Amino acid sequence: MKFHRLLLLSLGMIFTISTHSNGQESASYTLKEMVQRAKDRSPAALRALTRKENRFWQYRLFRSNYNPQLRLNGTLPSYSQAFNGITQPDGSIQFLEVRQNFIDLELGLQQVIAPTGGVISVNTSTNRFDNFLAGPNEIQTRWSGIPVNVRLQQPIFAYNQFKWDKKIQPLLYEESKREFVQEMEEVSLFVTQLFFDYLLAQVNVDIATQNLANTEEIFDIEKKRYELGTTFEDRLLQVELQTLQARQDLAQAKLDLESSALSVNSFIGLNPSSQISLVSPEDIPDFEVNVEQAIDLAFQNRSEALGFDRRKIEAESLVAQAKGQRLNVQLNASYGYNNAAFNWGDIYANPNTQALASLGISVPVLDWGRNKARMAQAEANQQLVEYTVQQDVINFEQEIFTKVKNFLMIKERLNVTKVSDEVAQRRYEIALTRFQSGNVSITDLNIAQNEKDSNKRAYFSALRDFWVAYYELRSLTLYDFEADQLLYLPEQDQ
């Protein structure tokens, strides 16, 4: 167990070396620390956060469509100077220089009527007309205005965008919030893979270092035996070749470690030249996972589950839109007061009643089956969405079922590989001791060493598979089984 304890100590130690003069940093990370750093600083996490913020403002824009809008419209000013043809009383045309200025302002408060898709507004407006005559001081000014006016624009039998947006947009926003949590868990999953890439490279360096030391010791023993005549030259050459191979293995392991370190540092936002050491996450959390519970949690929390309903509603919306294009009827109505005067204040004195009502209609009399084809296409698309969603739901459940079963199998395999690693390590230590005393051949020792190395790598590979499956399970359910709490909590609208 000497080598095993040495390896664990090497993996778990924390570097306390101060910053080197060349700017390199040294740090030690556990898996959870690296996951948290990736969530806080990695470019992938920052992109996810930016997407979440964009979707939040998109939702706020949608909400603003249903709030009253106070608008000021107008022209300030519209001046024209030109020679225009003016018709005279006798019918002739005389070209005269015309200089005019026109100013208009309208202030209106409008409100969307979401259930019907109409718009109602209360407005007031003022118009001023200036006619510049021949003399510099000869200006004719006229005023007109609408002190108050109520308008209604109401489509009839038309597609109501406001009604369907109120059904779809909140689902999209809720999906975006859940997608953000899922993306952060995917960041955790990816950095876990990088973590174990580096950890396995670190383990391989430790294995190669220990193997080289043991091989050099064996080579020294064989040289002494050869000098005493108790071994043959071919066996000595075999051990020498193994020593050279061990040196090559160590060089390759160090190169792989540098490559893995660069990937990890780049992802979590460290200086590429930073030196890090990883603590092996061998403290396995003990919790039970039930397949039915995992499926229920996934349907409750995953954005895809909301997406199933949202896609159906969108298909219904397209059918409603196709129906609304068959007949276009628009009701426009307004009621208020207007007036005209030489002075601005006079337009508000005894104004006249102003009323307007119109009903516009557009009905295709002969469209060669256009409306029928449009409706058939929308209904076929709705049916396709229904079938697709049904299959996606089945695939969704199967994915959860498979991942949970895989997690349980990996957890069991991890225990077996851990015991195998300890047994293989112990066997190698015994074989090495017996070789030193001359009771085991070099072939048997090599077999023990290979088994020791393969079982060591198998254990850390199983450890990797467990933590990858652990974060996959969190991502698929948005639930922390270890802490027994939801990763996503519905928030109040900001």
Side-chain angles (χ1 to χ4, degrees), residues 91 103 202 259:
I103 297 175
Q202 191 172 278
S259 177

Side-chain angles (χ1 to χ4, degrees), residues 222-333:
E222 284 297 311
K223 284 195 295 185
K224 293 178 181 178
R225 291 177 179 175
Y226 179 73
E227 292 172 357
L228 296 174
T230 58
T231 189
F232 299 102
E233 184 177 5
D234 62 336
R235 187 174 298 177
L236 178 63
L237 294 175
Q238 178 186 357
V239 176
E240 184 176 5
L241 288 174
Q242 291 175 353
T243 303
L244 296 174
Q245 183 62 47
R247 290 174 181 169
Q248 294 180 20
D249 293 342
L250 178 58
Q252 184 63 48
K254 289 182 177 179
L255 181 61
D256 294 341
L257 182 64
E258 291 180 2
S259 177
S260 298
L262 181 61
S263 299
V264 171
N265 293 344
S266 299
F267 187 78
I268 65 175
L270 285 175
N271 190 307
S273 62
S274 298
Q275 297 179 349
I276 61 175
S277 178
L278 304 184
V279 179
S280 177
E282 299 187 43
D283 187 10
I284 303 302
D286 185 18
F287 58 85
E288 297 296 328
V289 181
N290 182 274
V291 175
E292 289 74 16
Q293 179 193 14
I295 293 176
D296 291 341
L297 288 169
F299 275 102
Q300 291 173 17
N301 304 323
R302 290 275 295 187
S303 64
E304 288 88 343
L306 283 178
F308 297 148
D309 295 332
R310 188 254 307 160
R311 287 156 59 188
K312 292 179 182 179
I313 296 174
E314 287 177 338
E316 293 177 17
S317 171
L318 293 177
V319 173
Q321 186 175 15
K323 289 181 179 178
Q325 292 176 344
R326 295 182 299 181
L327 176 64
N328 294 324
V329 180
Q330 178 78 22
L331 172 64
N332 295 310

Side-chain angles (χ1 to χ4, degrees), residues 374-390:
R374 185 187 297 115
M375 279 298 303
Q377 181 184 15
E379 291 172 350
N381 178 71
Q382 183 183 22
Q383 194 66 47
L384 176 62
V385 170
E386 290 282 347
Y387 293 148
T388 303
V389 168
Q390 290 177 9

Side-chain angles (χ1 to χ4, degrees), residues 39 58 85 98 129 137 146 148 168 178 244 253 265 281 299 302 309 311 330 339 419 428 433 438 477:
K39 287 183 176 181
Q58 181 180 351
V98 177
F129 173 74
N137 297 321
I146 300 175
V148 64
I168 295 172
R178 301 184 183 198
L244 296 174
N265 293 344
F299 275 102
R302 290 275 295 187
D309 295 332
R311 287 156 59 188
Q330 178 78 22
N339 205 350
V419 174
Y428 175 73
T433 302
T477 60

Side-chain angles (χ1 to χ4, degrees), residues 421-438:
D421 174 39
E422 294 173 352
V423 171
Q425 179 64 37
R426 180 59 180 162
R427 176 174 181 258
Y428 175 73
E429 292 174 356
I430 294 173
L432 180 59
T433 302
R434 295 184 62 194
F435 174 81
Q436 292 171 345
S437 61

